[in-house]
Structures are given as structure tokens and as C-alpha cells.
Amino acid sequence: MHRETAKFSTKVIHAGEQKDPAYNAIITPIVTASSFIKSNIGESAQFGYSRGENPTRHALETCLSSLEDGVGAVACASGMAATATVMELLPKDAHVIVTDGVYGGTFRLLEECRSKTSGFTTSYVDLNDIEAIEASIQENTALIWIETPTNPLLKLINLQAVANVAKKHKILSCVDNTFSSPWNQRPIQHGIDLVMHSTSKYIGGHSDLIGGAVIAANKELFEQLQYVSMAVGAIQGPFDSYLALRGLKTLDLRMQRQSENALLIARHLENHPAIKEVYYPGLESHPQHQLCLRQMVSGGAVVSIRLIGNLTEVKAVIERLHYFVLADSLGGVESMINHSYSMSHGSMSSLEKEAAGITESLLRLSVGAESVEDLIAELDHALKVII
Ligand SMILES: Cc1ncc(COP(=O)(O)O)c(C=O)c1O
């Protein structure tokens, strides 16, 4: 069993692990039961019905909570289900302050669903501008939704500064920590109330899972989350909970390797004649590198690049890539590439994209755990179509 003082690399393997009373199995078993037998009327037990609590999901929730320095977590059916669970905590007609450039699915949930069903209103704000946050606060502001680093330009937001404003005005704060994973950044340490994850990314780590989670910084919030999760029922099933737990065991190893690879690739591409700009907070040239050193362990495993060249040349580069597969997701051990203009940000208008700096020549690399020499050689080969 892990101890409170255990290091991150120990916790990913041991936190939350459940002894198997039947066979003394070394790993937490997948418990598929919907119901658990009661010894008699009025007897209370930890597990009753799996929508409320399930042993495999409980192991995952305990591990995630420990990794994020929280007091408890709920594991959900997807990252979006986790985000929706946080939104369930807010009153009707709430106002939400949101990172400008937030993940498109979060934008859709707020603008297409919650604005209609719950009367939510929103303000999209540069959260590094504290005066702008203060100016956008209304009487009914209930939540500040933070995403750092942002996708795809990897801008950072100062978590401590936003947490301070949120606390001053008694507003909840939540960080979507998907891009960093708890290996790289632990928002609760900076005073944030809630952490949300799409576990489909780094936590699962093998591109074989859709899942999500919310971790609470205090008991009161955790109890509210548990209640909402049980009431709405958008929970993670036991098979997927197992996959997430299995992925977590190598999170430390994967993130170390993938972040090291990303830094080497970013450094290499920074001097490449076919590249106009490299976006990576781990580079000394990143405008917020000092903030990266303060609130993150490393620059992470995502690198964005702006190529010299037009869409035809960008397509030719992508055609020459084999290890970097063109995909919507990120965070797996295999390297992926995303054309933000037509893929992750495809639903924005051209004008909105241009204003946000998302041009046709921008590519987001999710750097995997392959040999970095192979990845660099492949990128160099592909970029030869430009120079
Ligand atoms: C930053 C971020 N948040 C949330 C989500 C939603 O997660 P899911 O696809 O697991 O619902 C994603 C998915 O791409 C994401 O990148």
C-alpha cells in the first residue's frame, strides 16, 4: 500500500490498489457486478450499486486523487462527461469565465448545450490578464474554467494568480489538466479547487480508451461531485477503469520519455529552415518559459510548429510521415500530428482562426515514446519537400 509520503513514481503504481480477497491477485480485479449482496436489511457496505461506487473505478479514483494531491475523484465516461459533471455543480443561470482558446468540445458544451438548458452565460478571457478577469466578474459568476497549456499554441496561464482572484471573489476554479497530466502539473498545489482530465490522453496513454475524471481539492466539493456523478450516472465502466489504471502504472516513465523527446524535437526544429515558429514552453525562447519552470515539471510532450509554405506543401509533409500519424487525439505512446486549422479547430470560421493564430501551416505534434532519432530523421525527411 502506498504511503502519503510516497513519490509520484511509486504512487502511479500503488495508489488506490485494492487487495483481491478471492485470489490475492497482484492487480486490482475488474469487478463487473452491477450490484453487491447485502448481509441484511439496514447493513451498510461500501459497495451497493455500481453507478454509485464500483471497486475497479474506486481504485482508479483513489489513484488519480492521490496523483493530483486531491481529497477525492470521480471517474467519468469521457473527458466531456467529466466537464459536464463540473457544470452540474453550478446553479441555473450561472456565468462562467473561460480561457480564450478553450478546447472546442468545452466551448460546444457551454454554448450549444448549457446556454440553452441551464441558462449559462460565458466570457472568454485572456486569463493572464488579471484586470480582464476582474472586469468580467459578474454577480452570478460561479466558475473560472482554465486550460493551460492552451491548444495548439501552448500559451501558459499562471495558476496561482487565477486561483487568487477566484478565492478573493469566492468563485470556483477548475483546470482542464489533460495536456499536462498530473506528472507535469498539479493545479491543486497552486490553490485551484477542481482538476478535470480527459483520461483518453496521457493517463490512458495507449490510444485505446475514452474516459475522464474530476478531482476535488476539498471534502465538501468531493461530496458534491460524488452526489452529482451518482445522480447523473455518466460514470466510467469497470473495463475502462481497468485500462486507465493499467495506463497509469507507466505514466511516469512515458511522460519522462515523451517530454524528453519533445524538448529534443523542439530544439531541433527551432533551427530548421522549413519552420517559421516553434511553440514549446520548455524552450528558453518561449515567452513564458520562466512560468513553465515554476508551475510545470517540463515543457510537456506537445510541440506546435508553423511551417514556411502553403497548404499543398503542408499536405506533402504529412504524406511523408509514417511514425507521426494524422489523428484527432494526443497523449499516446505513438506520435501523432494534428492539422489544427482543419481538424481540432475546424468548426471555427477562417476569420476566428486567423485571429487566434491558427493558420493553415500550423501543425501540432503529440510526441510519442519512439526513438527520438527516428522521429527527428522522419521529420527532416518530410520537411525536405519545403526546403
Ligand atoms: C483539452 C481537452 N479537454 C477535454 C477533452 C475531451 O475529452 P474526451 O474526448 O475524452 O471526451 C479533450 C479531447 O480531445 C481535450 O483535448
PDB file of all heavy atoms in Angstrom, residues 77-81 83 103 106 147 151 176 178-179 196-201 210-212 328-330 364, ligand 1:
ATOM      1  N   ALA A  77     -17.307   8.805 -17.910  1.00  0.00           N
ATOM      2  CA  ALA A  77     -17.303   8.035 -19.155  1.00  0.00           C
ATOM      3  C   ALA A  77     -16.416   8.652 -20.234  1.00  0.00           C
ATOM      4  O   ALA A  77     -15.982   7.968 -21.159  1.00  0.00           O
ATOM      5  CB  ALA A  77     -18.733   7.914 -19.676  1.00  0.00           C
ATOM      6  N   SER A  78     -16.130   9.940 -20.150  1.00  0.00           N
ATOM      7  CA  SER A  78     -15.268  10.623 -21.125  1.00  0.00           C
ATOM      8  C   SER A  78     -14.796  11.931 -20.493  1.00  0.00           C
ATOM      9  O   SER A  78     -15.311  12.335 -19.431  1.00  0.00           O
ATOM     10  CB  SER A  78     -16.045  10.932 -22.412  1.00  0.00           C
ATOM     11  OG  SER A  78     -17.059  11.885 -22.145  1.00  0.00           O
ATOM     12  N   GLY A  79     -13.869  12.585 -21.171  1.00  0.00           N
ATOM     13  CA  GLY A  79     -13.452  13.904 -20.688  1.00  0.00           C
ATOM     14  C   GLY A  79     -14.627  14.861 -20.685  1.00  0.00           C
ATOM     15  O   GLY A  79     -14.804  15.664 -19.761  1.00  0.00           O
ATOM     16  N   MET A  80     -15.461  14.784 -21.723  1.00  0.00           N
ATOM     17  CA  MET A  80     -16.614  15.689 -21.783  1.00  0.00           C
ATOM     18  C   MET A  80     -17.621  15.379 -20.667  1.00  0.00           C
ATOM     19  O   MET A  80     -18.246  16.299 -20.125  1.00  0.00           O
ATOM     20  CB  MET A  80     -17.293  15.618 -23.155  1.00  0.00           C
ATOM     21  CG  MET A  80     -16.524  16.309 -24.274  1.00  0.00           C
ATOM     22  SD  MET A  80     -15.718  17.872 -23.833  1.00  0.00           S
ATOM     23  CE  MET A  80     -17.094  18.859 -23.267  1.00  0.00           C
ATOM     24  N   ALA A  81     -17.767  14.099 -20.323  1.00  0.00           N
ATOM     25  CA  ALA A  81     -18.665  13.759 -19.203  1.00  0.00           C
ATOM     26  C   ALA A  81     -18.106  14.346 -17.909  1.00  0.00           C
ATOM     27  O   ALA A  81     -18.865  14.790 -17.036  1.00  0.00           O
ATOM     28  CB  ALA A  81     -18.822  12.243 -19.088  1.00  0.00           C
ATOM     29  N   THR A  83     -16.283  17.133 -17.718  1.00  0.00           N
ATOM     30  CA  THR A  83     -16.559  18.577 -17.788  1.00  0.00           C
ATOM     31  C   THR A  83     -18.032  18.837 -17.448  1.00  0.00           C
ATOM     32  O   THR A  83     -18.354  19.746 -16.676  1.00  0.00           O
ATOM     33  CB  THR A  83     -16.227  19.109 -19.201  1.00  0.00           C
ATOM     34  OG1 THR A  83     -14.866  18.807 -19.469  1.00  0.00           O
ATOM     35  CG2 THR A  83     -16.443  20.606 -19.306  1.00  0.00           C
ATOM     36  N   TYR A 103     -10.620  24.280 -25.335  1.00  0.00           N
ATOM     37  CA  TYR A 103     -10.919  23.099 -26.156  1.00  0.00           C
ATOM     38  C   TYR A 103     -12.333  23.222 -26.763  1.00  0.00           C
ATOM     39  O   TYR A 103     -13.291  23.564 -26.065  1.00  0.00           O
ATOM     40  CB  TYR A 103     -10.791  21.844 -25.278  1.00  0.00           C
ATOM     41  CG  TYR A 103     -11.323  20.601 -25.938  1.00  0.00           C
ATOM     42  CD1 TYR A 103     -10.735  20.092 -27.091  1.00  0.00           C
ATOM     43  CD2 TYR A 103     -12.436  19.937 -25.419  1.00  0.00           C
ATOM     44  CE1 TYR A 103     -11.232  18.963 -27.710  1.00  0.00           C
ATOM     45  CE2 TYR A 103     -12.936  18.797 -26.025  1.00  0.00           C
ATOM     46  CZ  TYR A 103     -12.333  18.321 -27.179  1.00  0.00           C
ATOM     47  OH  TYR A 103     -12.828  17.209 -27.793  1.00  0.00           O
ATOM     48  N   THR A 106     -15.450  21.812 -25.043  1.00  0.00           N
ATOM     49  CA  THR A 106     -15.895  22.571 -23.864  1.00  0.00           C
ATOM     50  C   THR A 106     -16.713  23.775 -24.330  1.00  0.00           C
ATOM     51  O   THR A 106     -17.776  24.087 -23.778  1.00  0.00           O
ATOM     52  CB  THR A 106     -14.666  23.031 -23.034  1.00  0.00           C
ATOM     53  OG1 THR A 106     -13.841  21.887 -22.799  1.00  0.00           O
ATOM     54  CG2 THR A 106     -15.067  23.649 -21.723  1.00  0.00           C
ATOM     55  N   GLU A 147      -7.557  26.385 -18.955  1.00  0.00           N
ATOM     56  CA  GLU A 147      -6.851  25.338 -19.705  1.00  0.00           C
ATOM     57  C   GLU A 147      -5.428  25.824 -19.909  1.00  0.00           C
ATOM     58  O   GLU A 147      -5.220  26.888 -20.502  1.00  0.00           O
ATOM     59  CB  GLU A 147      -7.559  25.143 -21.048  1.00  0.00           C
ATOM     60  CG  GLU A 147      -7.472  23.728 -21.579  1.00  0.00           C
ATOM     61  CD  GLU A 147      -8.215  23.609 -22.897  1.00  0.00           C
ATOM     62  OE1 GLU A 147      -9.457  23.695 -22.887  1.00  0.00           O
ATOM     63  OE2 GLU A 147      -7.544  23.431 -23.925  1.00  0.00           O
ATOM     64  N   ASN A 151      -4.328  24.908 -26.399  1.00  0.00           N
ATOM     65  CA  ASN A 151      -4.211  24.110 -27.617  1.00  0.00           C
ATOM     66  C   ASN A 151      -4.569  24.998 -28.813  1.00  0.00           C
ATOM     67  O   ASN A 151      -5.630  25.603 -28.802  1.00  0.00           O
ATOM     68  CB  ASN A 151      -5.208  22.945 -27.509  1.00  0.00           C
ATOM     69  CG  ASN A 151      -5.267  22.111 -28.761  1.00  0.00           C
ATOM     70  OD1 ASN A 151      -4.302  22.012 -29.500  1.00  0.00           O
ATOM     71  ND2 ASN A 151      -6.414  21.495 -28.989  1.00  0.00           N
ATOM     72  N   ASP A 176      -8.585  22.248 -16.675  1.00  0.00           N
ATOM     73  CA  ASP A 176      -8.531  21.084 -17.562  1.00  0.00           C
ATOM     74  C   ASP A 176      -7.051  20.753 -17.712  1.00  0.00           C
ATOM     75  O   ASP A 176      -6.314  21.451 -18.406  1.00  0.00           O
ATOM     76  CB  ASP A 176      -9.173  21.441 -18.910  1.00  0.00           C
ATOM     77  CG  ASP A 176      -9.144  20.282 -19.905  1.00  0.00           C
ATOM     78  OD1 ASP A 176      -8.317  19.371 -19.716  1.00  0.00           O
ATOM     79  OD2 ASP A 176      -9.917  20.304 -20.873  1.00  0.00           O
ATOM     80  N   THR A 178      -5.635  18.071 -18.964  1.00  0.00           N
ATOM     81  CA  THR A 178      -5.433  16.987 -19.921  1.00  0.00           C
ATOM     82  C   THR A 178      -4.066  17.053 -20.611  1.00  0.00           C
ATOM     83  O   THR A 178      -3.388  16.035 -20.757  1.00  0.00           O
ATOM     84  CB  THR A 178      -6.549  17.050 -20.993  1.00  0.00           C
ATOM     85  OG1 THR A 178      -7.801  16.925 -20.338  1.00  0.00           O
ATOM     86  CG2 THR A 178      -6.407  15.960 -22.028  1.00  0.00           C
ATOM     87  N   PHE A 179      -3.669  18.260 -21.045  1.00  0.00           N
ATOM     88  CA  PHE A 179      -2.434  18.385 -21.825  1.00  0.00           C
ATOM     89  C   PHE A 179      -1.182  18.123 -20.988  1.00  0.00           C
ATOM     90  O   PHE A 179      -0.136  17.804 -21.536  1.00  0.00           O
ATOM     91  CB  PHE A 179      -2.350  19.794 -22.456  1.00  0.00           C
ATOM     92  CG  PHE A 179      -2.837  19.831 -23.873  1.00  0.00           C
ATOM     93  CD1 PHE A 179      -4.098  19.372 -24.192  1.00  0.00           C
ATOM     94  CD2 PHE A 179      -2.040  20.314 -24.902  1.00  0.00           C
ATOM     95  CE1 PHE A 179      -4.570  19.392 -25.491  1.00  0.00           C
ATOM     96  CE2 PHE A 179      -2.495  20.345 -26.216  1.00  0.00           C
ATOM     97  CZ  PHE A 179      -3.761  19.887 -26.504  1.00  0.00           C
ATOM     98  N   MET A 196      -9.789  18.684 -13.896  1.00  0.00           N
ATOM     99  CA  MET A 196     -10.514  17.799 -14.803  1.00  0.00           C
ATOM    100  C   MET A 196      -9.519  17.180 -15.781  1.00  0.00           C
ATOM    101  O   MET A 196      -8.522  17.817 -16.150  1.00  0.00           O
ATOM    102  CB  MET A 196     -11.582  18.630 -15.528  1.00  0.00           C
ATOM    103  CG  MET A 196     -12.284  17.950 -16.657  1.00  0.00           C
ATOM    104  SD  MET A 196     -11.483  18.446 -18.195  1.00  0.00           S
ATOM    105  CE  MET A 196     -11.838  17.047 -19.215  1.00  0.00           C
ATOM    106  N   HIS A 197      -9.769  15.920 -16.155  1.00  0.00           N
ATOM    107  CA  HIS A 197      -8.917  15.246 -17.144  1.00  0.00           C
ATOM    108  C   HIS A 197      -9.745  14.544 -18.201  1.00  0.00           C
ATOM    109  O   HIS A 197     -10.767  13.927 -17.876  1.00  0.00           O
ATOM    110  CB  HIS A 197      -8.070  14.140 -16.482  1.00  0.00           C
ATOM    111  CG  HIS A 197      -6.837  14.645 -15.835  1.00  0.00           C
ATOM    112  ND1 HIS A 197      -5.737  15.039 -16.539  1.00  0.00           N
ATOM    113  CD2 HIS A 197      -6.530  14.824 -14.525  1.00  0.00           C
ATOM    114  CE1 HIS A 197      -4.804  15.438 -15.706  1.00  0.00           C
ATOM    115  NE2 HIS A 197      -5.258  15.332 -14.474  1.00  0.00           N
ATOM    116  N   SER A 198      -9.278  14.607 -19.428  1.00  0.00           N
ATOM    117  CA  SER A 198      -9.679  13.595 -20.393  1.00  0.00           C
ATOM    118  C   SER A 198      -8.631  12.505 -20.226  1.00  0.00           C
ATOM    119  O   SER A 198      -7.477  12.674 -20.637  1.00  0.00           O
ATOM    120  CB  SER A 198      -9.649  14.154 -21.821  1.00  0.00           C
ATOM    121  OG  SER A 198      -9.686  13.064 -22.733  1.00  0.00           O
ATOM    122  N   THR A 199      -9.011  11.387 -19.602  1.00  0.00           N
ATOM    123  CA  THR A 199      -8.040  10.300 -19.388  1.00  0.00           C
ATOM    124  C   THR A 199      -7.788   9.543 -20.689  1.00  0.00           C
ATOM    125  O   THR A 199      -6.938   8.648 -20.746  1.00  0.00           O
ATOM    126  CB  THR A 199      -8.520   9.330 -18.285  1.00  0.00           C
ATOM    127  OG1 THR A 199      -9.817   8.827 -18.649  1.00  0.00           O
ATOM    128  CG2 THR A 199      -8.616  10.006 -16.930  1.00  0.00           C
ATOM    129  N   SER A 200      -8.552   9.920 -21.730  1.00  0.00           N
ATOM    130  CA  SER A 200      -8.333   9.346 -23.072  1.00  0.00           C
ATOM    131  C   SER A 200      -6.930   9.679 -23.586  1.00  0.00           C
ATOM    132  O   SER A 200      -6.469   9.084 -24.546  1.00  0.00           O
ATOM    133  CB  SER A 200      -9.342   9.935 -24.068  1.00  0.00           C
ATOM    134  OG  SER A 200     -10.602  10.168 -23.496  1.00  0.00           O
ATOM    135  N   LYS A 201      -6.258  10.663 -22.975  1.00  0.00           N
ATOM    136  CA  LYS A 201      -4.962  11.149 -23.472  1.00  0.00           C
ATOM    137  C   LYS A 201      -3.815  10.527 -22.675  1.00  0.00           C
ATOM    138  O   LYS A 201      -3.622   9.331 -22.735  1.00  0.00           O
ATOM    139  CB  LYS A 201      -4.952  12.684 -23.440  1.00  0.00           C
ATOM    140  CG  LYS A 201      -6.203  13.337 -24.053  1.00  0.00           C
ATOM    141  CD  LYS A 201      -6.311  13.051 -25.525  1.00  0.00           C
ATOM    142  CE  LYS A 201      -7.493  13.703 -26.217  1.00  0.00           C
ATOM    143  NZ  LYS A 201      -8.789  13.728 -25.596  1.00  0.00           N
ATOM    144  N   ILE A 210     -11.566   5.809 -23.881  1.00  0.00           N
ATOM    145  CA  ILE A 210     -12.211   7.116 -23.718  1.00  0.00           C
ATOM    146  C   ILE A 210     -12.635   7.201 -22.249  1.00  0.00           C
ATOM    147  O   ILE A 210     -13.355   6.318 -21.756  1.00  0.00           O
ATOM    148  CB  ILE A 210     -13.449   7.278 -24.636  1.00  0.00           C
ATOM    149  CG1 ILE A 210     -13.057   7.297 -26.130  1.00  0.00           C
ATOM    150  CG2 ILE A 210     -14.233   8.556 -24.283  1.00  0.00           C
ATOM    151  CD1 ILE A 210     -12.319   8.523 -26.612  1.00  0.00           C
ATOM    152  N   GLY A 211     -12.158   8.228 -21.570  1.00  0.00           N
ATOM    153  CA  GLY A 211     -12.505   8.366 -20.156  1.00  0.00           C
ATOM    154  C   GLY A 211     -12.226   9.773 -19.667  1.00  0.00           C
ATOM    155  O   GLY A 211     -11.589  10.575 -20.351  1.00  0.00           O
ATOM    156  N   GLY A 212     -12.713  10.052 -18.475  1.00  0.00           N
ATOM    157  CA  GLY A 212     -12.481  11.369 -17.885  1.00  0.00           C
ATOM    158  C   GLY A 212     -12.502  11.283 -16.377  1.00  0.00           C
ATOM    159  O   GLY A 212     -12.868  10.237 -15.803  1.00  0.00           O
ATOM    160  N   ASP A 328      -6.851  12.915 -34.515  1.00  0.00           N
ATOM    161  CA  ASP A 328      -7.504  13.970 -33.740  1.00  0.00           C
ATOM    162  C   ASP A 328      -6.980  14.048 -32.314  1.00  0.00           C
ATOM    163  O   ASP A 328      -7.100  15.070 -31.663  1.00  0.00           O
ATOM    164  CB  ASP A 328      -9.021  13.706 -33.681  1.00  0.00           C
ATOM    165  CG  ASP A 328      -9.674  14.011 -35.023  1.00  0.00           C
ATOM    166  OD1 ASP A 328      -9.427  15.105 -35.544  1.00  0.00           O
ATOM    167  OD2 ASP A 328     -10.391  13.140 -35.545  1.00  0.00           O
ATOM    168  N   SER A 329      -6.435  12.939 -31.827  1.00  0.00           N
ATOM    169  CA  SER A 329      -6.125  12.855 -30.405  1.00  0.00           C
ATOM    170  C   SER A 329      -4.676  13.202 -30.111  1.00  0.00           C
ATOM    171  O   SER A 329      -3.926  13.692 -30.965  1.00  0.00           O
ATOM    172  CB  SER A 329      -6.467  11.461 -29.900  1.00  0.00           C
ATOM    173  OG  SER A 329      -6.551  11.468 -28.493  1.00  0.00           O
ATOM    174  N   LEU A 330      -4.268  12.953 -28.889  1.00  0.00           N
ATOM    175  CA  LEU A 330      -2.883  13.161 -28.447  1.00  0.00           C
ATOM    176  C   LEU A 330      -2.655  12.305 -27.206  1.00  0.00           C
ATOM    177  O   LEU A 330      -3.592  11.691 -26.702  1.00  0.00           O
ATOM    178  CB  LEU A 330      -2.635  14.645 -28.117  1.00  0.00           C
ATOM    179  CG  LEU A 330      -3.301  15.194 -26.862  1.00  0.00           C
ATOM    180  CD1 LEU A 330      -2.390  16.218 -26.211  1.00  0.00           C
ATOM    181  CD2 LEU A 330      -4.616  15.853 -27.169  1.00  0.00           C
ATOM    182  N   ARG A 364       0.276  20.498 -34.974  1.00  0.00           N
ATOM    183  CA  ARG A 364       0.527  20.148 -33.567  1.00  0.00           C
ATOM    184  C   ARG A 364       1.081  18.729 -33.512  1.00  0.00           C
ATOM    185  O   ARG A 364       0.464  17.797 -34.032  1.00  0.00           O
ATOM    186  CB  ARG A 364      -0.790  20.220 -32.783  1.00  0.00           C
ATOM    187  CG  ARG A 364      -0.604  19.965 -31.291  1.00  0.00           C
ATOM    188  CD  ARG A 364      -1.932  19.781 -30.600  1.00  0.00           C
ATOM    189  NE  ARG A 364      -2.515  18.482 -30.877  1.00  0.00           N
ATOM    190  CZ  ARG A 364      -3.801  18.182 -30.699  1.00  0.00           C
ATOM    191  NH1 ARG A 364      -4.641  19.089 -30.270  1.00  0.00           N
ATOM    192  NH2 ARG A 364      -4.264  16.968 -30.974  1.00  0.00           N
TER     193      ARG A 364
HETATM  194  C1  LIG B   1      -8.032  19.586 -23.557  1.00  0.00           C
HETATM  195  C2  LIG B   1      -9.154  18.607 -23.728  1.00  0.00           C
HETATM  196  N1  LIG B   1     -10.158  18.601 -22.855  1.00  0.00           N
HETATM  197  C3  LIG B   1     -11.194  17.747 -22.963  1.00  0.00           C
HETATM  198  C4  LIG B   1     -11.267  16.847 -23.993  1.00  0.00           C
HETATM  199  C5  LIG B   1     -12.466  15.929 -24.111  1.00  0.00           C
HETATM  200  O1  LIG B   1     -12.113  14.632 -23.753  1.00  0.00           O
HETATM  201  P1  LIG B   1     -12.846  13.318 -24.318  1.00  0.00           P
HETATM  202  O2  LIG B   1     -12.559  13.242 -25.776  1.00  0.00           O
HETATM  203  O3  LIG B   1     -12.236  12.222 -23.515  1.00  0.00           O
HETATM  204  O4  LIG B   1     -14.306  13.492 -24.043  1.00  0.00           O
HETATM  205  C6  LIG B   1     -10.232  16.797 -24.927  1.00  0.00           C
HETATM  206  C7  LIG B   1     -10.285  15.839 -26.061  1.00  0.00           C
HETATM  207  O5  LIG B   1      -9.620  15.995 -27.068  1.00  0.00           O
HETATM  208  C8  LIG B   1      -9.144  17.704 -24.796  1.00  0.00           C
HETATM  209  O6  LIG B   1      -8.123  17.725 -25.680  1.00  0.00           O
END
